[in-house]
Amino acid sequence: MSTLKTLAAACALALLAAWPAQAQTAPPSYGPPIGLEAARVVMIAAEAEAAKNNWPVVIAIIDSGGHIVMLHRRDDTQLSSIEIAQGKARTALMFKRPTKVLDDAISAGGPALRFLSLKDIVPLEGGLPIVADGKIVGSIGVSGVLSSQDAQIARAGIDALK
């Protein structure tokens, strides 16, 4: 299993290297895991954005090690959004980039379509790394409405840390 993960990571890195120059800025390094208080700040702001728009979503926050810190499902949210939100958060963490980068790359076609063969990624907009002191401390994933709206909610959560 370890060999398969290594191979998948090598393929992903090769694909990232093939992206246009503007997408090749070095992402931040991983840092210590996000604490519960910082995760609460992010969650409260994200939930406020969802509530303001009356959007039924799931919001997942994971730490820099990929472990769930918080997960909230608003009333009447489709059950599939639980797994999708967590998947968006994991994908943003693993690739150190917003999931929109992968979404856009796949939409453009060509070599980036190879991302679709990777296991356990969710290349849909709505996942963002959480950066504190220049290091990735975790990520947030949102699912339940349009992907751009999911991203709006995630961004509102992250902006609360500034």
Side-chain angles (χ1 to χ4, degrees):
M1 189 64 158
S2 166
T3 305
L4 183 58
K5 285 183 180 180
T6 303
L7 180 59
C11 289
L13 288 174
L15 285 170
L16 286 173
W19 283 354
Q22 69 265 21
Q24 289 190 24
T25 58
S29 300
Y30 293 111
I34 190 170
L36 188 57
E37 287 309 311
R40 278 190 183 125
V41 168
V42 173
M43 183 63 77
I44 288 168
E47 285 186 333
E49 183 69 18
K52 177 178 83 173
N53 293 289
N54 198 29
W55 288 335
V57 295
V58 171
I59 304 165
I61 298 174
I62 62 174
D63 66 20
S64 56
H67 304 287
I68 193 81
V69 177
M70 300 185 99
L71 182 116
H72 290 192
R73 182 176 64 90
R74 292 181 42 84
D75 291 342
D76 205 32
T77 304
Q78 62 192 13
L79 295 176
S80 64
S81 289
I82 296 168
E83 293 299 320
I84 295 168
Q86 291 178 77
K88 287 180 180 183
R90 274 192 309 276
T91 302
L93 180 71
M94 297 301 206
F95 285 89
K96 296 182 171 185
R97 289 168 171 74
T99 53
K100 182 169 180 17
V101 173
L102 298 173
D103 192 350
D104 289 347
I106 290 168
S107 294
L113 289 175
R114 294 179 185 145
F115 278 116
L116 295 173
S117 69
L118 297 177
K119 186 178 182 223
D120 296 331
I121 69 165
V122 180
L124 303 171
E125 185 177 8
L128 298 170
I130 300 171
V131 178
D133 297 324
K135 303 276 187 185
I136 297 173
V137 297
S139 62
I140 181 172
V142 180
S143 176
V145 288
L146 297 175
S147 290
S148 60
Q149 295 167 333
D150 292 341
Q152 179 180 330
I153 294 165
R155 174 57 54 205
I158 289 175
D159 286 349
L161 284 180
K162 295 177 182 176

